[in-house]
Amino acid sequence: GNAKVYVQGLPSDITTEEMADHFKKGGILAKLPSGEPRIKFYKDKEGKRKGDALVTYLSQESVPLALQFLNETEIKPGFKINVTKAEFQQKGEFKAKKFKKTDVKFKKFQKEQALNWDEDGVQEIKGFRIVILMYMFKPSEATNNREAFYQDLKVEVGLEVEQKCGAIEKLTIFEDNPDGVIAIKFKSGDSAAKCIEIMNGRFFGARKIKCFYFDGKTNYKVEESAEDRKKRDAEYKKWMMGES
């Protein structure tokens, strides 16, 4: 399940160890293959920490405990933190057990390009609720812990975009896409327009991103060949055995 909490109000010099020490009061933290606790600090385009982080527990039960005991606590003198459940309202979509290759029905998108009228009699083109974000990640960043990387990215982008632009109906990451493509379908056309206004030309991490309306036809899905898969598995095994 999604045993993650989103933390705000952190001092920029806090270490992973200090974080782990504070958050283990809620339970056992999940670990990366390296043995490090799975704590992700968010950074700005200069690579400086922004004061927020994503902490992943081993078990779902730890989340309410962390909210109960760690929200509004001082992690360092003068630094009171805010701890919330890390999820964005994605119609129950974020029940990420195992991320399969994202299956987006592009035919359905095309049908939704059809006009529809809302109560006010305002014409809203449904297709214009879908935006494409480009250069959001590099596939090479996901090599060591692929599932964790894409899961964390999904939460991070979902939280930020919902805060700034409005409710999301569906968020899809096109894993392995060389242009780092994420598609977001909003509940309203208004939010989609806002997303383009805010995100186009912005920096995400150290990359300048592009944000535009989905054209209803381009398929951004990357099919991995059996050969690539084999190669990736072999590289992963080697890495696990510490040969790389």
Side-chain angles (χ1 to χ4, degrees):
N2 172 25
K4 297 173 191 294
V5 292
Y6 177 60
V7 189
Q8 289 165 294
L10 294 165
S12 56
D13 61 350
I14 191 148
T15 65
T16 303
E17 290 70 43
E18 289 169 322
M19 280 286 281
D21 217 46
H22 196 74
F23 279 87
K24 69 180 186 204
K25 294 166 192 161
I28 299 167
L29 297 174
K31 285 190 166 65
L32 291 165
S34 62
E36 286 265 299
R38 199 166 143 193
I39 296 169
K40 178 176 177 148
F41 294 99
Y42 294 127
K43 295 173 180 169
D44 62 17
K45 63 178 180 189
E46 272 83 46
K48 289 197 191 77
R49 288 187 181 170
K50 291 197 304 194
D52 55 347
L54 198 62
V55 177
T56 307
Y57 284 101
L58 204 56
S59 138
Q60 192 71 57
E61 282 75 70
S62 299
V63 174
L65 295 174
L67 302 189
Q68 193 183 335
F69 299 119
L70 300 172
N71 187 33
E72 298 292 315
T73 55
E74 277 203 353
I75 195 154
K76 273 188 166 184
F79 286 95
K80 222 177 210 188
I81 55 170
N82 181 264
V83 183
T84 51
K85 199 170 177 207
E87 61 182 0
F88 53 97
Q89 305 310 312
Q90 201 192 326
K91 274 204 335 197
E93 269 279 319
F94 197 77
K95 293 275 182 285
K97 282 282 182 292
K98 278 277 179 282
F99 275 27
K100 293 184 183 64
K101 272 272 179 259
T102 336
D103 180 28
V104 174
K105 308 273 188 300
F106 285 89
K107 289 275 180 346
K108 204 170 127 225
F109 276 164
Q110 275 172 305
K111 274 190 199 132
E112 284 179 354
Q113 301 289 86
L115 293 175
N116 97 332
W117 296 84
D118 64 21
E119 301 81 83
D120 310 319
V122 178
Q123 215 179 26
E124 179 179 271
I125 300 177
K126 266 190 155 181
F128 290 115
R129 291 190 295 140
I130 300 159
V131 303
I132 297 296
L133 289 162
M134 210 172 239
Y135 314 124
M136 295 294 285
F137 61 92
K138 278 200 185 100
S140 59
E141 295 171 316
T143 42
N144 287 352
N145 197 344
R146 184 188 167 80
E147 194 177 334
F149 173 78
Y150 285 122
Q151 268 191 24
D152 290 352
L153 184 66
K154 191 167 190 174
V155 175
E156 180 181 358
V157 174
L159 281 168
E160 189 174 336
V161 171
E162 274 214 332
Q163 258 169 14
K164 291 179 177 165
C165 315
I168 290 173
E169 206 167 285
K170 185 161 190 196
L171 187 149
T172 303
I173 296 177
F174 292 93
E175 300 179 9
D176 302 318
N177 182 294
D179 293 323
V181 174
I182 294 179
I184 299 179
K185 182 179 182 179
F186 287 97
K187 289 217 161 83
S188 83
D190 212 31
S191 303
K194 204 168 172 187
C195 183
I196 290 172
E197 193 187 319
I198 293 173
M199 303 301 270
N200 192 36
R202 270 290 166 93
F203 281 84
F204 184 77
R207 282 181 294 278
K208 193 172 180 178
I209 56 182
K210 253 170 117 169
C211 184
F212 50 90
Y213 285 113
F214 174 57
D215 61 9
K217 52 182 187 289
T218 309
N219 187 349
Y220 295 101
K221 197 173 158 187
V222 174
E223 297 297 347
E224 191 178 36
S225 71
E227 205 173 307
D228 286 347
R229 172 101 214 177
K230 255 206 219 129
K231 201 172 129 200
R232 189 161 61 77
D233 286 348
E235 275 169 7
Y236 181 70
K237 277 202 192 86
K238 237 166 90 173
W239 179 79
M240 282 293 281
M241 302 306 224
E243 291 169 36
S244 61

